[in-house]
Amino acid sequence: MAAALELFSKRDAEDVSIDDVASAAGASRALVYHYFGGKQELYVAALKSAAQQLESRLRPQEGGRPLDELAAGLRRYFDFVEEHAPGFAALLRGGPANRAGEVGEIVDGVRQRLFRLIQKQMRVEQPSPVLRTTIVSWIASVETAGLDWLEHRDIERPVLEKMLVDHMIALLGVAANYDREVRTLFEGLAHQQFPA
């Protein structure tokens, strides 16, 4: 599985053969086929493994203020990104155009769980359309920042994590102009982040 994730994170799935995976894993081709049936099954299993590892890191650890919980969640997210770079890259590589069928379901499932976690951290039961769009946009920004950071590593992780928390506040600040519920949420979070 680790060998497959490593290969799938660096090349398109179409460019990786069962022989490549078997060779990288030090296993026979027949053994890979025995356990996974074929390349697509192996690819899906590798992505599911990466998704499960990421989700286990992001389980809520309640008790703090919303922005503290968001910051702690980002730390755990980037711990995963750093420790499991191939799995993270394989999970998100290729963008929405390549996310159909079972593969798309895996990626969308992770995003939906992230959304619900953030919603819970913000103490919002039913987000308005404006808040929903804001959170979804922020999740996409975090994913993109993670991939960029893996490629360049030219910004310190704590700085990036702080910047992303501030990015959430800025997005909420813009959204507050369009929705009263978001305005109330933003004012509370901004006061927490930037006390007078």
Side-chain angles (χ1 to χ4, degrees):
M1 194 72 73
L5 280 173
E6 183 76 35
L7 290 169
F8 290 136
S9 73
K10 293 178 178 172
R11 302 185 341 223
D12 288 333
E14 297 79 29
D15 297 333
V16 176
S17 70
I18 290 290
D19 288 333
D20 293 334
V21 175
S23 174
S28 72
R29 181 176 203 245
L31 190 63
V32 176
Y33 272 110
H34 172 75
Y35 282 104
F36 298 103
K39 185 170 69 172
Q40 180 63 21
E41 291 85 354
L42 175 60
Y43 183 57
V44 168
L47 291 184
K48 281 182 179 176
S49 171
Q52 288 166 352
Q53 291 174 43
L54 176 57
E55 288 172 26
S56 71
R57 290 285 179 99
L58 296 176
R59 292 209 172 92
Q61 298 174 358
E62 301 170 20
R65 299 179 310 171
L67 288 178
D68 294 338
E69 289 179 18
L70 188 67
L74 273 172
R75 271 192 305 278
R76 293 191 305 273
Y77 182 88
F78 278 98
D79 284 346
F80 175 86
V81 169
E82 190 164 19
E83 293 167 21
H84 303 283
F88 177 80
L91 187 61
L92 297 178
R93 196 170 192 273
N98 293 336
R99 299 296 178 213
E102 204 170 0
V103 173
E105 290 174 14
I106 294 166
V107 175
D108 288 343
V110 171
R111 289 177 178 148
Q112 288 170 14
R113 282 183 277 288
L114 281 171
F115 180 91
R116 286 192 297 272
L117 174 63
I118 294 164
Q119 176 185 333
K120 187 173 183 179
Q121 288 171 334
M122 291 186 179
R123 280 77 163 164
V124 174
E125 287 190 33
Q126 185 62 41
S128 67
V130 171
L131 181 55
R132 182 194 66 237
T133 302
T134 302
I135 294 172
V136 168
S137 299
W138 185 76
I139 290 170
S141 295
V142 171
E143 289 175 357
T144 303
L147 289 170
D148 181 77
W149 183 78
L150 279 178
E151 182 179 349
H152 300 286
R153 295 191 189 239
D154 54 0
I155 184 170
E156 293 180 20
R157 253 189 66 188
V159 172
L160 177 60
E161 291 167 11
K162 172 78 168 83
M163 185 177 74
L164 287 168
V165 171
D166 291 346
H167 184 200
M168 172 62 94
I169 294 168
L171 285 174
L172 289 169
V174 171
N177 295 319
Y178 299 91
D179 184 279
R180 184 174 295 152
E181 175 193 1
V182 178
R183 186 178 310 122
T184 302
L185 175 64
F186 169 70
E187 288 169 356
L189 294 177
H191 179 71
Q192 176 190 326
Q193 188 74 350
F194 310 108

